[in-house]
C-alpha cells in the first residue's frame, strides 16, 4: 500500500492535479462566459433555466440540424447549436482535407467543460459544470451515440445522409427520444454502470444462478443467439455461443430501453429490431422481450427476424421450467425494490458505500446507498460526484497517474484505486488514517473474493 | 373458459395485424379490446407487440393472434413480416390527422398487393372522442394532441422513402386544426367501399365500436367446419355468407352512437 497518497482537495498536491485545475490544461482561451450571456434574447426565463443547467448534451448533424438536446425548446436549441457548429467549424476550417484533421475536442468556458465528438455525419457535444473529466464526458456522449446506432445502425445513418446532408434524423428516430432521455437522466444521476462501463449482476446464491442458466441452456433453439434473464437492470443469467461474448455497453442500452421506460413493461410479448453496436454496428438483431414478473424480463435475441414464434416457444418452455423449479421468487427477491446488499453485511467498519469493478468480468457491485449516510438526493448525487472525481484521478491520462488516491471532504473520506484486475472506490468516515484505509481495502477485497460467485456471473452459460 | 357452454365450440385461430401511422391509437385499440383499458399518453410501440385474445361467437370461438406494429417510419420495412401470413388486418388512422388517412390508403394498397389474397381488412378511423368532445367542450383534449403533433411532425417529412406526394399539401392544416375532425366519415366510407373493406370509426378511449371491429372480422372468418366441408369441393364459399349476416353490424359500418351495439351478437370471452 505504498502508493497510497493523501490528497485533501482543499490543498492539492502538485503531482496530481485535481480535476478543476486539470481542466484548465486544455483551455483554449475561448472567450469564457459568452455562452452564458444574453446573446440569445428570445425567452429570458426559459433561457435562464436553460443556461443554469449543470449538464447539457447536444446531438446535431454536420449540416447543423438538431437531433437531440437534453434541455431547451427547439428555438433555443437552434441558435445554440448554431453557435456550437460555428466554433467547431472554425477549427475544422483550418484543415479539412482529411478525416484526421485538427478537430476541436474540448475547451473550457468559465467552469463549463465542452467536449465534442465527431461520428460523421453526427456531432455530439457534452457540456458540464460538474467537474467530470474530458474522458468521462466523452464516454457519456459515446453512450448516447451507441443508443442512436442501436436504433438505426451505422449503415442506415450513412445511407440516409448520403447525398442529403440536410437530412433531419429526428424523423427516423421518432419515438426513441425517450431512450436518449432515459440515458441522459442516468448520466446526470452519475450512474455507476456508465461511469465504470460495467454491468451489475443480481446477487444470487450460486446454485440458484446455475439452475437458471441450466434451464436457459436446455431450452435453447437453433436461432437463439443470446438468452438473458434481467431483473431491474441487473443481469441474473446469460447464455451465449462460445464464439460471441456480450459487450456491457450493448447490454447497458438494452437494459436502459427495457427498465427506464414503460414501453416493454406491459406483460406483452415484444419483437424488437435492435442493433447492438459493439456486437455489430451495421446490422440488426431481433429481441424477444417479455416481462415475466414484477421486475424481471426474459430477453431472447436472434439474428433471424422471422424467429419470433420459435423464440416464443423457447420462452414458454423456459418460463414453465422456472416456475416448476420455483426460481421466479428468488429472482424477484434478489432485486426487490432495488435491493442489492448492505454495507453492514460487509465486515468493514465505518464503510458507507463502495463501488468495486472486476475488470475481467466487466462487472461491478455496489451496496445499497444507505439513507442513514446519504439522506437526500443531493447527498447521493454528491457521492456519485466524488466517485467521478476519484475515477478521473486514477485514470488521468497525461502523467501523474495514481494507483491510489484519497481525500477528505466534509464529513467523509473518499478513496479510489485502480489495479490491473479491479477498481475500487469507497466512502468512509472522516479523517480515516492511512492504516485504516489499507485495512478497509483488504477487508473489502477479501469479502468480494469470498462472495465472488454470488456477486458476479463468471462467463455465463456457453453453448 | 367456455365451460358453461353445452358443447365445445370449435376454435379458429386468426392472425391479425394492425397497421397505420404512428400515434393513431393502434396499441390503444388492442388494449381496449384485450383488457378493456385505456392509458393516456401511452408510450409508442417499439418494433411490435404480440398478443392473443379469444372471442366467443354464437357458433365458434375465435382466437385472435394479434401483431400490434409500431407506426414509425423506421419500422416500415418490417411490416411484411407481420402481414405476410395474416388473415386479417386493421388499418388504422386518426380522424383528426389527414396524413394518417393518406398513410392508411397506402397500407391498404400494400396489403392488396402483397398480403394473402383473401385477407380481411378493416379500415378504422380512431379518436372519435376528440371530435365529439370538440363540439361540447374544446379544452380537454389538448394533452393527447400535443403528443400526437410531435410524432406527426416527424412523420410529415418522412415520405421520401415512401413517395407520398400528397403529403406536403396536408401538413399545414394538420398542425393548425387541433382536435377537429379532418377526415370526413364519407371519405372513410368511400375508401372502404372502393376497396371492399370493413369500416368503422372508433374511440379506444371510450371503447366506442372497438369490439365491433374485431367481432366483424371474427364473423367474416370462415370457420374450421366450413373449411373442412369445403375441402375437396370447389371452395365451400357458401358458408361464409351466414356468418356475415350473423355478426356484422347492420348499418354497413356506419357509426352508431348507441353503445348497446357493442353487446351485440357475441360478447368477448374475457
Amino acid at each position: 500500500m505504498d502508493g497510497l497518497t493523501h490528497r485533501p482537495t482543499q490543498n492539492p498536491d502538485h503531482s496530481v492535479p485535481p480535476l478543476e485545475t486539470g481542466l484548465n490544461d486544455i483551455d483554449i482561451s475561448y472567450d469564457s462566459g459568452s455562452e452564458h450571456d444574453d446573446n440569445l434574447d428570445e425567452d429570458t426565463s426559459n433561457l435562464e433555466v436553460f443556461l443554469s443547467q449543470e449538464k447539457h448534451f447536444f446531438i446535431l448533424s454536420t449540416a447543423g440540424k438538431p437531433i437531440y438536446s437534453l434541455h431547451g425548446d427547439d428555438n433555443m436549441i437552434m441558435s445554440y447549436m448554431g453557435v456550437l457548429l460555428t466554433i467547431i467549424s472554425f477549427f475544422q476550417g483550418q484543415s479539412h482535407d482529411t478525416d484526421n484533421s485538427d478537430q476541436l475536442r474540448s475547451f473550457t468556458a468559465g467552469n463549463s467543460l465542452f467536449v465534442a465528438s465527431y461520428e460523421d455525419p453526427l456531432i455530439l457535444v457534452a457540456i458540464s459544470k460538474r467537474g467530470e473529466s474530458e474522458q468521462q464526458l466523452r464516454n457519456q456522449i459515446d453512450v448516447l451515440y451507441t443508443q442512436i446506432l442501436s436504433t438505426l445502425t451505422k449503415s442506415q445513418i450513412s445511407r440516409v445522409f448520403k447525398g442529403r446532408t440536410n437530412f433531419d434524423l429526428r424523423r427516423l428516430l421518432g419515438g426513441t427520444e425517450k431512450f436518449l432521455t432515459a440515458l441522459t437522466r442516468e448520466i446526470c444521476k452519475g450512474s455507476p454502470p456508465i461511469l465504470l462501463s460495467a454491468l451489475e449482476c443480481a446477487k444470487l446464491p450460486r446454485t440458484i444462478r446455475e439452475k437458471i442458466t441450466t434451464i436457459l441452456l436446455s431450452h435453447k433453439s437453433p436461432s437463439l443467439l443470446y438468452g438473458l434473464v434481467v431483473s431491474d437492470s441487473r443481469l441474473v443469467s446469460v447464455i451465449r455461443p462460445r464464439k460471441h461474448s456480450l459487450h456491457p455497453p450493448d447490454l447497458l442500452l438494452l437494459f436502459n430501453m427495457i427498465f427506464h421506460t414503460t414501453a416493454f413493461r406491459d406483460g406483452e410479448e415484444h419483437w424488437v429490431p435492435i442493433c447492438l453496436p459493439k456486437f455489430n454496428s451495421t446490422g440488426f438483431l431481433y429481441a424477444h422481450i417479455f416481462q415475466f414478473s414484477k421486475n424481471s424480463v426474459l430477453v431472447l435475441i436472434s439474428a433471424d427476424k422471422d424467429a419470433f414464434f420459435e423464440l416464443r416457444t423457447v420462452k414458454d418452455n423456459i418460463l414453465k421450467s422456472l416456475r416448476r423449479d420455483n426460481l421466479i421468487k428468488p429472482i424477484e427477491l434478489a432485486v426487490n425494490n432495488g435491493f442489492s446488499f448492505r454495507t453492514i453485511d460487509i465486515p468493514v467498519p465505518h464503510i458507507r458505500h463502495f463501488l468495486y469493478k472486476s475488470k475481467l468480468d466487466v462487472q461491478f457491485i455496489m451496496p445499497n446507498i444507505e439513507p442513514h449516510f446519504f439522506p437526500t438526493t443531493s447527498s447521493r448525487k454528491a457521492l456519485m460526484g466524488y466517485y467521478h472525481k476519484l475515477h478521473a484521478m486514477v485514470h488521468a491520462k497525461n502523467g501523474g497517474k495514481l494507483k491510489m488516491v484519497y481525500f477528505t471532504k466534509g464529513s467523509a473520506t473518499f478513496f479510489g484505486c485502480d489495479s490491473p484486475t479491479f477498481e475500487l472506490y469507497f466512502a468512509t468516515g472522516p479523517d480515516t488514517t492511512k492504516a485504516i484505509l489499507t485495512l478497509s481495502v483488504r477487508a473489502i477485497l477479501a469479502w468480494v473474493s469470498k462472495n465472488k460467485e454470488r456477486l458476479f456471473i463468471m462467463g455465463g452459460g456457453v453453448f | 373458459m367456455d365451460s358453461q357452454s353445452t358443447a365445445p365450440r370449435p376454435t379458429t385461430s386468426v392472425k391479425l395485424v394492425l397497421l397505420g401511422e404512428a400515434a393513431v391509437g393502434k396499441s390503444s385499440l388492442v388494449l381496449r379490446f384485450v383488457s378493456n383499458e385505456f392509458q393516456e399518453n401511452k408510450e409508442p410501440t417499439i418494433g411490435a407487440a404480440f398478443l392473443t385474445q379469444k372471442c366467443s361467437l354464437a357458433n365458434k370461438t375465435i382466437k385472435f393472434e394479434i401483431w400490434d406494429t409500431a407506426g414509425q417510419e423506421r419500422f416500415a420495412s418490417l411490416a411484411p413480416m407481420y402481414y405476410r401470413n395474416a388473415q386479417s388486418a386493421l388499418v388504422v388512422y386518426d380522424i383528426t390527422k389527414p396524413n394518417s388517412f393518406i398513410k392508411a390508403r397506402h397500407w391498404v394498397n400494400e396489403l392488396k398487393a402483397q398480403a394473402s389474397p383473401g385477407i380481411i381488412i378493416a379500415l378504422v378511423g380512431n379518436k372519435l372522442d376528440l371530435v365529439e368532445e370538440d363540439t361540447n367542450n374544446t379544452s380537454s383534449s389538448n394533452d393527447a394532441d400535443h403528443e400526437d403533433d410531435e410524432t406527426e411532425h416527424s412523420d410529415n417529412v418522412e415520405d421520401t422513402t415512401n413517395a407520398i406526394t400528397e403529403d406536403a399539401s396536408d401538413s399545414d392544416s394538420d398542425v393548425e386544426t387541433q382536435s377537429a375532425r379532418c377526415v370526413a366519415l364519407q371519405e372513410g366510407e368511400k375508401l372502404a367501399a372502393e376497396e371492399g373493406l370493413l369500416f368503422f370509426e372508433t374511440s379506444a378511449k371510450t371503447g366506442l365500436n372497438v369490439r365491433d371491429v374485431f367481432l366483424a372480422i371474427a364473423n367474416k372468418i370462415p370457420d374450421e367446419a366450413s373449411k373442412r366441408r369445403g375441402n375437396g369441393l370447389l371452395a365451400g364459399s357458401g358458408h361464409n355468407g351466414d356468418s356475415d349476416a350473423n355478426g356484422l353490424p347492420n348499418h354497413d359500418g356506419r357509426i352508431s352512437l348507441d353503445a348497446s351495439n357493442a353487446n351485440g351478437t357475441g360478447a368477448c370471452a374475457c
Side-chain angles (χ1 to χ4, degrees):
Chain A
M1 295 283 155
D2 292 329
L4 209 57
T5 311
H6 184 221
R7 190 159 314 290
T9 26
Q10 299 90 331
N11 190 9
D13 185 308
H14 68 276
S15 64
V16 175
L19 217 47
E20 297 88 339
T21 52
L23 301 185
N24 293 334
D25 296 344
I26 43 169
D27 196 324
I28 54 152
S29 65
Y30 176 70
D31 177 17
S32 74
S34 76
E35 240 70 272
H36 308 269
D37 289 340
D38 47 357
N39 50 350
L40 316 163
D41 52 1
E42 298 126 27
D43 185 344
T44 27
S45 62
N46 273 343
L47 187 65
E48 269 165 30
V49 174
F50 180 75
L51 293 177
S52 68
Q53 300 295 337
E54 277 192 307
K55 283 177 80 73
H56 284 279
F57 291 100
F58 297 103
I59 305 175
L60 56 157
S61 71
T62 42
K65 283 247 184 197
I67 293 165
Y68 176 79
S69 171
L70 176 57
H71 305 289
D73 63 19
D74 245 18
N75 282 339
M76 212 180 284
I77 299 164
M78 284 297 250
S79 21
Y80 206 75
M81 286 191 179
V83 175
L84 280 175
L85 196 63
T86 310
I87 299 169
I88 285 165
S89 2
F90 174 78
F91 287 89
Q92 270 177 329
Q94 313 289 326
S95 58
H96 63 284
D97 46 346
T98 65
D99 279 348
N100 295 329
S101 65
D102 282 345
Q103 277 174 326
L104 180 59
R105 292 173 58 82
S106 68
F107 60 92
T108 53
N111 58 355
S112 299
L113 173 62
F114 290 63
V115 175
S117 177
Y118 308 86
E119 299 286 357
D120 193 49
L122 308 184
I123 299 172
L124 300 98
V125 180
I127 304 169
S128 177
K129 298 175 189 171
R130 288 240 189 110
E132 294 126 302
S133 72
E134 179 188 345
Q135 195 48 46
Q136 285 168 347
L137 290 180
R138 204 168 284 293
N139 178 41
Q140 292 169 8
I141 40 188
D142 189 53
V143 170
L144 300 183
Y145 177 59
T146 49
Q147 170 59 48
I148 290 182
L149 288 183
S150 85
T151 307
L152 296 175
T153 72
K154 200 166 190 165
S155 7
Q156 200 179 346
I157 294 174
S158 317
R159 199 164 60 237
V160 295
F161 277 98
K162 206 168 192 178
R164 284 186 292 177
T165 49
N166 219 13
F167 188 82
D168 184 356
L169 199 65
R170 285 193 290 190
R171 39 187 257 216
L172 277 182
L173 286 171
T176 59
E177 297 84 358
K178 63 183 171 171
F179 298 138
L180 285 168
T181 302
L183 275 175
T184 51
R185 212 175 285 144
E186 285 303 300
I187 291 171
C188 291
K189 272 199 282 182
S191 158
I194 294 172
L195 171 68
L196 301 172
S197 300
L199 284 181
E200 194 178 13
C201 295
K203 185 177 176 244
L204 273 179
R206 181 177 57 89
T207 49
I208 299 273
R209 204 188 310 275
E210 272 175 8
K211 274 186 195 165
I212 297 167
T213 307
T214 307
I215 286 174
L216 291 184
L217 282 172
S218 68
H219 294 299
K220 78 164 232 35
S221 69
S223 304
L224 183 71
L225 182 62
Y226 297 118
L228 306 106
V229 175
V230 196
S231 208
D232 196 17
S233 290
R234 276 172 254 173
L235 195 57
V236 172
S237 175
V238 56
I239 60 166
R240 61 182 176 86
R242 187 162 301 281
K243 56 180 190 286
H244 294 298
S245 50
L246 271 165
H247 304 271
D250 287 344
L251 293 185
L252 185 77
L253 295 179
L254 191 66
F255 297 176
N256 173 67
M257 190 172 95
I258 296 172
F259 292 98
H260 295 143
T261 70
T262 61
F264 301 102
R265 322 253 351 234
D266 51 10
E268 292 170 11
E269 289 176 67
H270 297 265
W271 187 236
V272 178
I274 181 170
C275 164
L276 298 178
K278 306 289 173 189
F279 173 79
N280 173 8
S281 64
T282 59
F284 280 115
L285 296 173
Y286 298 83
H288 180 290
I289 300 173
F290 179 68
Q291 181 191 3
F292 61 86
S293 63
K294 184 166 163 258
N295 295 302
S296 309
V297 173
L298 177 66
V299 185
L300 301 171
I301 297 175
S302 172
D304 177 2
K305 69 175 177 180
D306 292 319
F308 175 82
F309 288 98
E310 179 190 321
L311 296 187
R312 183 167 196 253
T313 311
V314 173
K315 174 218 86 178
D316 287 341
N317 293 335
I318 289 173
L319 289 183
K320 216 177 283 168
S321 301
L322 289 178
R323 288 203 185 97
R324 182 197 60 208
D325 297 349
N326 297 316
L327 290 166
I328 292 179
K329 203 170 172 199
I331 298 173
E332 279 293 309
L333 283 177
V335 296
N336 205 12
N337 303 319
F339 181 82
S340 59
F341 56 93
R342 305 189 59 180
T343 41
I344 52 166
D345 299 338
I346 304 156
V348 186
H350 309 303
I351 202 90
R352 295 179 182 180
H353 191 262
F354 73 87
L355 294 181
Y356 173 95
K357 174 184 173 180
S358 162
K359 289 187 173 177
L360 182 68
D361 303 301
V362 213
Q363 291 163 32
F364 80 96
I365 53 167
M366 65 171 189
N368 288 3
I369 298 182
E370 299 290 344
H372 169 63
F373 293 124
F374 307 98
T376 61
T377 317
S378 64
S379 62
R380 289 189 283 272
K381 204 168 106 179
L383 172 67
M384 293 304 158
Y386 290 125
Y387 283 150
H388 278 72
K389 188 167 286 192
L390 293 164
H391 177 272
M393 285 170 155
V394 296
H395 287 90
K397 277 231 172 79
N398 31 7
K401 181 175 170 172
L402 284 183
K403 287 270 178 289
M404 295 188 202
V405 58
Y406 74 99
F407 55 77
T408 297
K409 187 94 181 173
S411 62
T413 297
F414 298 91
F415 169 93
C417 74
D418 178 31
S419 94
T421 54
F422 67 89
E423 289 172 42
L424 175 64
Y425 310 93
F426 64 76
T428 185
D431 300 320
T432 308
T433 63
K434 224 187 266 191
I436 299 285
L437 283 173
T438 308
L439 285 177
S440 301
V441 171
R442 287 199 179 129
I444 292 174
L445 294 180
W447 182 84
V448 167
S449 150
K450 194 177 145 209
N451 291 281
K452 210 163 170 48
E453 290 189 326
R454 310 177 129 238
L455 297 168
F456 298 102
I457 294 180
M458 330 279 280
V462 176
F463 56 84
Chain B
M1 252 180 249
D2 298 326
S3 53
Q4 81 281 13
S5 60
T6 48
R9 279 170 294 198
T11 299
T12 312
S13 287
V14 175
K15 294 185 170 58
L16 182 146
V17 60
L18 283 96
L19 298 165
E21 198 179 67
V24 296
K26 296 180 291 301
S27 301
S28 294
L29 285 169
V30 176
L31 187 65
R32 175 60 76 189
F33 174 57
V34 172
S35 313
N36 199 20
E37 286 171 15
F38 180 77
Q39 273 176 29
E40 295 281 355
N41 302 319
K42 206 171 180 333
E43 288 195 34
T45 306
I46 303 294
F50 182 80
L51 306 89
T52 59
Q53 171 71 349
K54 278 189 180 163
C55 203
S56 298
L57 304 184
N59 55 347
K60 61 183 168 183
T61 300
I62 297 278
K63 185 187 174 202
F64 279 111
E65 297 178 352
I66 303 169
W67 273 118
D68 173 22
T69 68
Q72 278 84 13
E73 177 187 358
R74 67 177 182 283
F75 297 116
S77 61
L78 292 175
M81 177 166 100
Y82 304 115
Y83 66 62
R84 199 190 302 139
N85 297 312
Q87 290 121 294
S88 56
L90 256 60
V91 175
V92 187
Y93 64 94
D94 173 350
I95 58 171
T96 70
K97 297 281 190 294
N99 278 344
S100 71
F101 187 64
I102 293 165
K103 194 85 179 183
R105 204 183 278 275
H106 280 265
W107 279 122
V108 171
N109 291 342
E110 183 166 337
L111 287 172
K112 292 268 166 178
Q114 314 274 356
S116 332
I119 191 167
I120 298 161
I121 305 173
L123 179 68
V124 178
N126 191 33
K127 306 203 186 178
L128 197 53
D129 53 285
L130 292 183
V131 175
E132 286 173 335
E133 273 176 17
D134 212 40
T135 51
N136 309 332
N137 146 23
T138 37
S139 62
S140 64
S141 63
N142 279 343
D143 278 7
D145 243 78
H146 273 306
E147 203 191 40
D148 293 348
D149 278 347
E150 277 169 23
T151 325
E152 189 73 26
H153 266 308
S154 55
D155 282 356
N156 277 344
V157 272
E158 79 185 20
D159 289 303
T160 38
T161 46
N162 291 334
I164 297 180
T165 42
E166 307 99 299
D167 247 17
S169 57
D170 283 301
S171 53
D172 292 337
S173 61
D174 195 27
V175 179
E176 292 154 14
T177 50
Q178 288 269 309
S179 60
R181 176 191 277 277
C182 291
V183 182
L185 176 65
Q186 292 76 12
E187 286 184 74
E189 284 177 336
K190 184 162 168 275
L191 177 60
E194 282 167 9
E195 301 288 346
L197 320 172
L198 296 167
F199 175 61
F200 291 88
E201 286 191 346
T202 59
S203 166
K205 190 171 182 176
T206 67
L208 184 70
N209 281 341
V210 174
R211 273 182 179 176
D212 302 53
V213 179
F214 291 88
L215 285 175
I217 287 175
N219 278 301
K220 272 205 125 187
I221 297 288
D223 58 42
E224 289 299 323
S226 65
K227 264 195 221 160
R228 253 178 265 126
R229 266 176 277 153
N231 273 350
L233 291 175
L234 282 177
S237 57
H239 297 285
N240 296 348
D242 347 25
S243 49
D244 261 349
N246 196 4
L248 258 186
N250 56 6
H251 37 74
D252 299 319
R254 277 194 165 267
I255 306 310
S256 158
L257 300 180
D258 175 7
S260 67
N261 189 25
N263 307 322
T265 39
C268 286
C270 29

